[in-house]
Amino acid sequence: MKKDGKVVSFINMKGGVGKTTLCIGIGEYLAHYLNKRVLFIDLDPQFNTTQSLMNLFELEDEYMTNYSVKNKTVRRLFESPTTVSEMPKLPEKEDVIIDLDYNISIIAGTINLIFDDNNKSTSASRRVKKFIEENALRNEYDYIFIDCPPTISLYTDSALIASDYYLVPVKVDRYSILGIKLLDQVIERLKFDETLNIKPLGIVYTMLDNTITQKTKKIMETLESSEIVNKIGLFETKTFFVRDLMVGLGGNIASRYNSSRIDIEALCSEFMKEVEKNE
Ligand SMILES: Nc1ncnc2c1ncn2[C@@H]1O[C@H](COP(=O)(O)OP(=O)(O)OP(=O)(O)O)[C@@H](O)[C@H]1O
Ligand SMILES: [Mg+2]
């Protein structure tokens, strides 16, 4: 049966807020517990999503000796012709999509993305969208999750242009509002040149302490009363700091540990309801 997949960017202009961990945590849970088909696209030159999933599927060597060397990576989407007479061409699906199991696929990231960020061709930022559309990927996957870098770059533009929704992981600290404001500016600026169809799904608190102190509460209240947070919305589900996500033998996969599984289960349920509500 044809699917009606949704493209979702995990994005914040602030680093280290849990974008990658939530992207993988939600995607893996949807795939392995709720039987959804999920395609990850790793648009971050740090390629943490790729490393983590290669680790989960014991494909780290394969990544180094095969996918990376043969450039079976997202970088293929950004290739430009090297002669004037050559037409720009998108890769075939098989050239870039790696099926990890029946429900999880990935377009792997690569550190080499750093070399393309200065690609100034205006079409470059539309390549991800074009690739998804030309290959009718929404018919094959329930969700296409894009892990974004925390920077203003060709890749964040590409992700936003390609997405139906964006989700903003936020770690509560005194600078948390800045990354959200900056993200909003990036989206507004992009709207000037591009047709964007992207809608906010909401902000998700990440790495909260189990006991939320008065000081933390105060920052949360300030955040929640800001115009920008009201515009984007806020998930009811909060996610907590679980040390194993950093150091555990199960890697940074939320479903692997009891306490993060509870968070991710609740979050997936709210996430799917939010998407449904917007359709
Ligand atoms: N709920 C959590 N509990 C404990 N540690 C977490 C949790 N979520 C994320 N972390 C850890 O915090 C760090 C940053 O998380 P993550 O890499 O997901 O953030 P990011 O926003 O993707 O960062 P970047 O901007 O560098 O891409 C990582 O070391 C990760 O393991
Ligand atoms: Mg990341």
Side-chain angles (χ1 to χ4, degrees):
M1 204 178 75
K2 259 196 197 169
K3 295 179 180 295
D4 178 23
K6 303 299 165 215
V7 184
V8 185
S9 278
F10 288 71
I11 191 163
N12 188 330
M13 287 295 134
K14 192 169 189 304
V17 294
K19 296 179 290 295
T20 301
T21 309
L22 270 195
C23 178
I24 295 174
I26 297 178
E28 191 271 344
Y29 192 90
L30 290 170
H32 288 161
Y33 293 80
L34 302 176
N35 198 26
K36 303 291 180 193
R37 292 198 76 205
V38 180
L39 170 68
F40 291 94
I41 304 180
D42 191 354
L43 274 179
D44 187 351
Q46 298 178 90
F47 68 111
N48 294 150
T49 290
T50 303
Q51 290 167 54
S52 152
L53 288 174
M54 291 300 154
N55 174 272
L56 178 66
F57 289 92
E58 295 178 2
L59 287 171
E60 285 155 310
D61 288 344
E62 184 73 4
Y63 177 81
M64 292 310 285
T65 58
N66 184 3
Y67 305 141
S68 176
V69 178
K70 297 194 178 136
N71 199 19
K72 190 167 183 168
T73 74
V74 74
R75 195 178 178 201
R76 293 287 296 276
L77 300 186
F78 297 96
E79 274 173 1
S80 300
T82 49
T83 62
V84 177
S85 55
E86 211 180 316
M87 287 292 287
K89 205 168 117 255
L90 278 169
E92 299 294 323
K93 225 165 45 168
E94 299 71 34
D95 296 335
V96 284
I97 298 182
I98 302 165
D99 294 323
L100 296 172
D101 64 19
Y102 179 72
N103 280 344
I104 298 186
S105 302
I106 185 170
I107 301 181
T110 164
I111 178 87
N112 296 319
L113 277 181
I114 54 170
F115 296 111
D116 300 314
D117 196 13
N118 50 8
N119 185 338
K120 290 288 188 296
S121 85
T122 46
S123 68
S125 55
R126 293 183 210 128
R127 298 279 177 82
V128 177
K129 180 187 174 75
K130 209 166 154 70
F131 182 78
I132 291 172
E133 283 173 2
E134 282 189 4
N135 292 290
L137 296 183
R138 283 184 176 81
N139 295 344
E140 275 179 63
Y141 298 96
D142 295 287
Y143 297 101
I144 299 174
F145 280 3
I146 309 182
D147 187 21
C148 298
T151 49
I152 298 175
S153 63
L154 165 63
Y155 309 115
T156 37
D157 283 2
S158 304
L160 293 166
I161 290 170
S163 292
D164 302 309
Y165 297 105
Y166 65 103
L167 183 151
V168 189
V170 167
K171 194 174 160 181
V172 182
D173 67 26
R174 55 166 83 40
Y175 305 115
S176 39
I177 193 77
L178 292 177
I180 310 174
K181 280 190 176 157
L182 203 51
L183 172 62
D184 190 57
Q185 284 170 11
V186 168
I187 294 174
E188 291 305 319
R189 180 189 51 103
L190 209 52
K191 275 186 188 159
F192 187 81
D193 293 317
E194 305 285 343
T195 321
L196 292 194
N197 291 311
I198 193 165
K199 286 188 236 165
L201 272 184
I203 287 163
V204 178
Y205 284 131
T206 60
M207 296 179 246
L208 282 174
D209 287 329
N210 280 312
T211 45
I212 300 173
T213 62
Q214 283 307 318
K215 282 178 191 150
T216 305
K217 224 181 223 161
K218 188 102 192 289
I219 298 180
M220 288 165 82
E221 279 166 11
T222 311
L223 234 124
E224 286 163 31
S225 61
S226 72
E227 206 177 306
I228 184 71
V229 172
N230 275 299
K231 178 172 158 188
I232 297 176
L234 180 71
F235 275 77
E236 220 170 278
T237 309
K238 297 175 173 42
T239 61
F240 291 86
F241 185 87
V242 177
R243 181 157 298 278
D244 274 341
L245 283 172
M246 248 187 319
V247 300
L249 292 176
N252 62 347
I253 311 290
S255 72
R256 291 288 170 89
Y257 314 102
N258 286 334
S259 44
S260 49
R261 189 171 57 241
I262 294 168
D263 288 349
I264 219 72
E265 191 177 0
L267 188 55
C268 283
S269 150
E270 191 176 354
F271 170 87
M272 288 192 298
K273 268 191 218 139
E274 265 323 295
V275 171
E276 192 98 316
K277 223 164 63 186
N278 277 286
E279 290 302 310

